[in-house]
Amino acid sequence: MEDLFEKVSPKTGASFEVYIDGACSGNPGPAGIGIIISKEKKIISNISKFIGESTNNIAEYSAFILALEELLKIKARNVIVNTDSQLLANQLKKRFKVKNSALRELHLKSLGLMSYFEHIKINQIERSLNKGADKLAVKAIKEQAKMATPAICRGGKSELQREA
């Protein structure tokens, strides 16, 4: 399985690059995921999805899993995944143990999905380099909050409204 983490070789064809992020308003709290998929530096998909009540780590794994599922639908074979989650990156690279039972299930699903790709590289990047995926994750939470409570605190602002 370790060979899945090698660098994507130019000989293996064009690679897809993905930026993923999970966000919560509270931890746990309402959660969203953001995914940007590009090929040859051109964005082909932006995904912003509300996932319900969750922890931040579950949201990060959920973003990773959905990204891989979307990549499989478009028959991607070579993938670079960028995440600002140190925990996610290191658990997927088997540097950190997965102690949490909820994450263990998501970790196993992630490893199973990874096996379908010829080459996959997981990059742990600085948060400042992942702003696009973060905005999509936060957008999902904000849109859900608007739909769920259109007249939030008429006299004041909710936490999500203050962030905007």
Side-chain angles (χ1 to χ4, degrees):
M1 191 78 175
E2 196 60 35
D3 60 327
L4 288 174
F5 303 109
E6 68 187 57
K7 288 188 177 181
V8 176
S9 164
K11 290 184 246 176
T12 59
S15 65
F16 288 81
E17 188 165 18
V18 182
Y19 288 83
I20 63 166
D21 202 15
C24 292
S25 181
N27 195 19
I33 58 176
I35 302 166
I36 299 171
I37 300 173
S38 65
K39 183 177 181 182
E40 298 172 354
K41 306 285 183 191
K42 293 180 184 163
I43 294 175
I44 59 171
S45 183
N46 283 324
I47 300 168
S48 176
K49 182 178 180 186
F50 181 74
I51 61 167
E53 186 87 6
S54 178
T55 66
N56 191 64
N57 290 332
I58 288 173
E60 297 283 358
Y61 264 100
S62 297
F64 182 75
I65 289 167
L66 183 58
L68 293 189
E69 289 172 344
E70 292 298 315
L71 288 160
L72 287 171
K73 286 179 189 174
I74 58 176
K75 301 186 181 347
R77 303 304 304 145
N78 306 299
V79 179
I80 299 168
V81 180
N82 299 293
T83 177
D84 60 24
S85 171
Q86 181 183 27
L87 180 81
L88 176 72
N90 283 303
Q91 285 182 341
L92 291 172
K93 293 178 182 183
K94 299 181 180 178
R95 292 179 183 157
F96 290 179
K97 290 182 180 179
V98 184
K99 296 176 184 177
N100 179 290
S101 60
L103 292 184
R104 196 171 301 122
E105 193 173 312
L106 296 171
H107 181 257
L108 288 173
K109 183 172 184 174
S110 297
L111 294 177
L113 287 168
M114 289 169 63
S115 70
Y116 289 103
F117 296 91
E118 287 177 30
H119 300 278
I120 188 164
K121 182 179 180 190
I122 313 292
N123 289 327
Q124 195 253 317
I125 60 173
E126 295 296 320
R127 211 174 145 83
S128 63
L129 300 175
N130 205 25
K131 289 181 182 176
D134 178 65
K135 283 182 183 179
L136 290 169
V138 171
K139 175 184 169 189
I141 299 168
K142 287 181 180 180
E143 286 178 357
Q144 181 64 27
K146 285 179 191 174
M147 289 175 23
T149 54
I152 298 174
C153 303
R154 291 180 191 220
K157 292 185 176 183
S158 72
E159 182 180 333
L160 287 174
Q161 288 172 322
R162 282 191 296 272
E163 292 173 7

